[in-house]
Amino acid sequence: MTRPMSTPGKALQVRTPTLPAIQPSIALALGGGGARGIAHILMLEVFDELGLRPKIIAGTSIGAVFGAAYASGLSAKLVRAYAEEALGQRFDIVRQLFSARSEPILKFLNFIPIRSALLNPVSVLELMLPSKIARDFAELEIPLRLVATDFYAQEQVVFAHGSLRTAIAASMALPALFTPVTVDGRVLMDGGLVNPLPFDLLRGEADITVAVDVSGASTGPGKRPHPSAFSALMSASQIMQRSIVREKLKAHQPDIYIDVEVDEFYVLDFHRYKEILARAAPAKAQLRRQLTRILKSQTVETLPAMPPVATPSPTPGRKRRLPSLEQLSRGRKE
């Protein structure tokens, strides 16, 4: 067999094997914030556009709604299309009910004591959630943890198994707007009262933790009109949630923290979903940049494991004798 001759003075070109990249795992926390949480859709779009899949998701209130949809296997594109249809066309009655400017019942509540809640969260979910969303945690494609508040124990309740829609309903049951949800004798309501941004539930679950905060930043006087009584009640909950998030960040911070600037919207401004999506666009770009940068810095390359080299076993049979000196000398003469 002939072998190619190498050119003197030139090094042989050796092909470097392609190294498989090990991508770090990501945990995603979606916070509560009412209509402001529509911004979560854009954050989910970043994951789809980068080809990423969270290892686990945690959500509170509106974050529980979108977290459950994504964990059920729905793409961000499908979630956005359904949300726009639900808020813009198919459910005009619900949209009007969520509109603080046009709903007469909410105006009426500004003048009388509120004795009962306005909506049943379970009924609203059955009306608005896509049918493709799983009905039980066991059916999810991505592990999910949802946060609710135990009204009497005054502590958080974390759902990770059982009825998914019941857990979502409990997590989003904002006081005065939704009736509490009773589960195993516990009276549960909006998880934002105790843990509005549950990134702490994801500690140690993945290499990277991403937290999306839609509680809204503080605003100066004059930026908003004077709030009505009911609007002030709803905003008070947001102020409390914002304070909780600030204290949590002092103790521990996620690897990526996205503070979406949606403070100009009220909790019930679902009818302004197009404006919310537009205002959340810079936060989407920020998440993309940070994810891309941190993934590049943490992705490592490793060679595949080399198979053990097998040592050939000796051929069975008689040993071959070396030629004698006499035979060697005879061979030279011949």
Side-chain angles (χ1 to χ4, degrees):
M1 179 183 295
T2 59
R3 297 181 179 178
M5 299 294 293
S6 60
T7 305
K10 291 186 178 181
L12 291 174
Q13 184 176 3
V14 180
R15 179 179 296 179
T16 304
T18 302
L19 305 181
I22 298 179
Q23 194 174 80
S25 57
I26 303 175
L28 175 63
L30 302 177
R36 297 166 173 172
I38 294 173
H40 286 317
I41 297 175
L42 298 190
M43 310 305 127
L44 298 178
E45 288 179 350
V46 173
F47 279 83
D48 282 357
E49 292 166 3
L50 294 179
L52 301 175
R53 177 187 175 95
K55 180 181 178 182
I56 186 172
I57 300 174
T60 295
S61 195
I62 190 67
V65 177
F66 290 117
Y70 202 64
S72 295
L74 276 69
S75 66
K77 181 179 180 180
L78 184 58
V79 172
R80 178 169 184 164
Y82 193 91
E84 290 178 342
E85 181 182 10
L87 295 173
Q89 297 177 10
R90 293 181 57 185
F91 304 112
D92 288 337
I93 297 178
V94 175
R95 180 172 58 86
Q96 291 297 324
L97 196 60
F98 281 147
S99 174
R101 293 185 304 178
S102 59
E103 174 52 43
I105 297 180
L106 297 185
K107 294 179 180 179
F108 182 64
L109 290 175
N110 288 329
F111 301 98
I112 65 172
I114 302 175
R115 298 183 178 181
S116 61
L118 199 60
L119 299 171
N120 184 323
V122 178
S123 300
V124 172
L125 287 178
E126 290 297 333
L127 179 65
M128 296 193 66
L129 285 183
S131 59
K132 294 182 180 181
I133 290 185
R135 305 197 72 88
D136 193 276
F137 279 86
E139 302 171 3
L140 293 172
E141 296 185 8
I142 301 174
L144 180 67
R145 295 175 184 173
L146 303 182
V147 179
T149 301
D150 187 317
F151 178 75
Y152 290 106
Q154 300 180 12
E155 62 184 13
Q156 77 172 1
V157 176
V158 180
F159 289 92
H161 56 81
S163 171
L164 179 60
R165 302 203 175 203
T166 299
I168 299 173
S171 183
M172 61 173 278
L174 189 66
L177 181 62
F178 292 110
T179 56
V181 177
T182 302
V183 179
D184 297 330
R186 308 181 76 173
V187 179
L188 306 177
M189 54 182 55
D190 187 57
L193 301 175
V194 289
N195 196 348
L197 187 58
F199 60 87
D200 54 303
L201 301 182
L202 304 174
R203 190 177 304 175
E205 295 289 344
D207 300 316
I208 301 171
T209 300
V210 177
V212 182
D213 186 3
V214 292
S215 61
S218 58
T219 57
K223 188 174 182 179
R224 282 182 165 185
H226 190 75
S228 65
F230 193 80
S231 296
L233 177 63
M234 294 293 101
S235 297
S237 174
Q238 295 302 116
I239 294 173
M240 178 190 65
Q241 293 185 29
R242 187 70 175 181
S243 299
I244 294 174
V245 171
R246 287 174 179 171
E247 292 303 314
K248 288 183 61 178
L249 291 174
K250 292 178 182 178
H252 175 71
Q253 293 188 1
D255 299 290
I256 297 178
Y257 171 70
I258 303 297
D259 187 5
V260 188
E261 295 184 3
V262 285
D263 49 278
E264 65 185 82
F265 303 99
Y266 286 107
V267 179
L268 302 179
D269 280 349
F270 285 93
H271 59 290
R272 301 177 64 187
Y273 65 92
K274 292 183 180 179
E275 298 174 61
I276 295 172
L277 290 172
R279 291 288 291 121
K284 176 183 178 179
Q286 178 189 358
L287 177 58
R288 174 186 285 274
R289 289 193 302 270
Q290 294 194 24
L291 270 176
T292 302
R293 183 179 69 251
I294 199 169
L295 287 173
K296 286 183 178 179
S297 65
Q298 293 198 16
T299 299
V300 296
E301 293 181 341
T302 59
L303 285 171
M306 297 297 294
V309 179
T311 303
S313 57
T315 304
R318 296 179 59 185
K319 295 182 178 179
R320 182 181 177 183
R321 292 183 179 181
L322 294 175
S324 63
L325 293 176
E326 183 180 352
Q327 292 173 331
L328 290 174
S329 61
R330 188 183 306 118
R332 289 193 188 99
K333 294 177 180 179
E334 295 176 353

